Amino acid sequence: MRAPDFWQRRGLAARLLAPLGALYGASVAFKARHASPYDPALPVICVGNLTAGGSGKTPIALALAEILRARGHRPYFLTRGYGGSTSGPALATRGHSAQVMGDEALLLARTAPTIVARDRAAGARLAKEKGASVLVMDDGHQNFSLHKTLSLVVVDAQSGFGNGFQIPAGPLREPVAQGLARADAVVLVGSERSEDGLPDLRGFRGPVLRAHLKADGAAFAGKNVFAFAGIGRPEKFVASLQDSGALVTGSCFFADHHGYGEEELMQLRTVAGDAALVTTEKDFVRLTTAQREGIRVLKIAAVFDDGAAMERLLDSAAPRP
């Protein structure tokens, strides 16, 4: 399902569901208090968030793996494999389908070896056996089964924390103060709305880094494109295309992690007409080889505004080998 519109405002629906949201946040606190995290004797860098979907944590995780590799490490990604059928632990490869491993796992595997495991401790053990020198845990701020060396909370600077309520009343997985209390640093991604300002991080004493998403969209400049995506915040994808100079003739959005059928793709091709069909990397890995024919991809990478500040954080968690 796509996030409901009321997650961005404090309307009647959000207020009625707020008691359920409070229970959701309390369950996270309960798990945190009673956890016995496994220590894999490896640095574990967790890239998480406080909201459901769309904050930019996967691009941040990918950027961190590149930095760690340049520092001489052998980074392995560790992910639950959301949307996939396997419980793992298993090594994701290009030969796997998104239906088995999940789309995020396949996207991560294009940059560094990726272990899919619902049991994160078992996944960490497998990664260590295969030679990992550091683990990058994509998502998992609310998972307490693994000891974390460095916990980064990624926050979309524009959408922030939505209406401030917890699931199902709002997008939060837990109260902001509760989640930030376990964070070593916050990474704000993108630019804030001028009328709203930055998300409220009052009370957080750690470093706040800024990052932005850089689109490789030069090939689309001045060309007609039809955008489609099944991600947390597809409007950001369309905005990136437009910022690249593409002429977006139309768009079609699906639920996050949506699996595309043949009929849907035929309809998209018909509606697009002469415009090029363009999607995200995350959507592209969910398509079969045959489905990918004629579909273009907008590649996006996260860039830290202060790379030296991130290097200092990594020095404290995963020193150069």
Side-chain angles (χ1 to χ4, degrees):
M1 293 176 62
R2 290 196 61 205
D5 292 338
F6 68 77
W7 277 13
Q8 294 302 315
R9 60 181 185 276
R10 293 198 164 209
L12 178 61
R15 294 184 186 280
L16 289 174
L17 291 169
L20 290 176
L23 290 174
Y24 191 100
S27 71
V28 175
F30 178 86
K31 292 175 184 176
R33 285 195 304 269
H34 295 85
S36 298
Y38 169 72
D39 187 350
L42 285 176
V44 176
I45 299 171
C46 178
V47 183
N49 63 6
L50 304 184
T51 57
S55 65
K57 61 182 184 306
T58 298
I60 294 295
L62 290 166
L64 288 177
E66 295 283 11
I67 295 171
L68 289 164
R69 183 183 288 114
R71 291 164 61 90
H73 274 289
R74 298 183 305 281
Y76 268 59
F77 288 116
L78 181 60
T79 181
R80 179 182 179 275
Y82 185 84
S85 60
T86 187
S87 59
L91 183 67
T93 68
R94 286 177 178 246
H96 285 118
S97 69
Q99 289 73 28
V100 173
M101 290 294 179
D103 51 12
E104 289 170 349
L106 296 186
L107 181 56
L108 294 169
R110 295 182 168 205
T111 294
T114 300
I115 302 293
V116 173
R118 294 180 187 175
D119 180 341
R120 304 298 176 87
R125 286 192 289 269
L126 178 59
K128 188 174 182 180
E129 289 172 7
K130 289 187 172 293
S133 67
V134 60
L135 299 178
V136 179
M137 192 174 177
D138 181 39
D139 208 355
H141 192 62
Q142 291 77 29
N143 183 293
F144 308 105
S145 61
L146 200 62
H147 173 75
K148 298 156 188 171
T149 316
L150 179 67
S151 289
L152 306 177
V153 167
V154 180
V155 180
D156 186 297
Q158 188 174 92
S159 63
F161 305 118
N163 61 11
F165 286 125
Q166 296 157 68
I167 298 169
L172 285 170
R173 298 178 176 185
E174 60 180 318
V176 173
Q178 176 179 298
L180 291 182
R182 302 192 311 277
D184 297 302
V186 167
V187 181
L188 281 173
V189 178
S191 301
E192 65 274 17
R193 290 194 186 104
S194 57
E195 68 270 20
D196 295 338
L198 289 170
D200 187 358
L201 300 174
R202 283 178 297 182
F204 180 66
R205 303 301 182 195
V208 178
L209 284 68
R210 299 297 298 261
H212 62 276
L213 301 181
K214 183 178 180 181
D216 183 10
F220 303 118
K223 297 181 179 178
N224 292 334
V225 302
F226 186 95
F228 74 97
I231 56 176
R233 292 195 60 209
E235 63 276 6
K236 291 170 60 177
F237 162 57
V238 174
S240 294
L241 276 171
Q242 293 170 330
D243 291 344
S244 299
L247 306 175
V248 181
T249 61
S251 62
C252 187
F253 302 150
F254 300 85
D256 198 6
H257 305 284
H258 179 73
Y260 295 97
E262 296 296 338
E263 186 173 338
E264 286 174 324
L265 291 169
M266 287 177 60
Q267 291 174 344
L268 285 171
R269 289 186 169 93
T270 299
V271 174
D274 293 333
L277 270 179
V278 183
T279 194
T280 70
E281 291 181 276
K282 190 171 162 184
D283 287 278
F284 193 73
V285 298
R286 292 200 298 273
L287 301 176
T288 66
T289 302
Q291 289 174 333
R292 293 172 182 174
E293 185 176 354
I295 294 177
R296 307 282 297 279
V297 178
L298 178 68
K299 294 184 178 181
I300 292 178
V303 179
F304 294 103
D305 293 7
D306 186 350
M310 178 53 72
E311 291 273 359
R312 288 193 294 272
L313 279 175
L314 295 177
D315 280 335
S316 65
R320 297 173 188 268

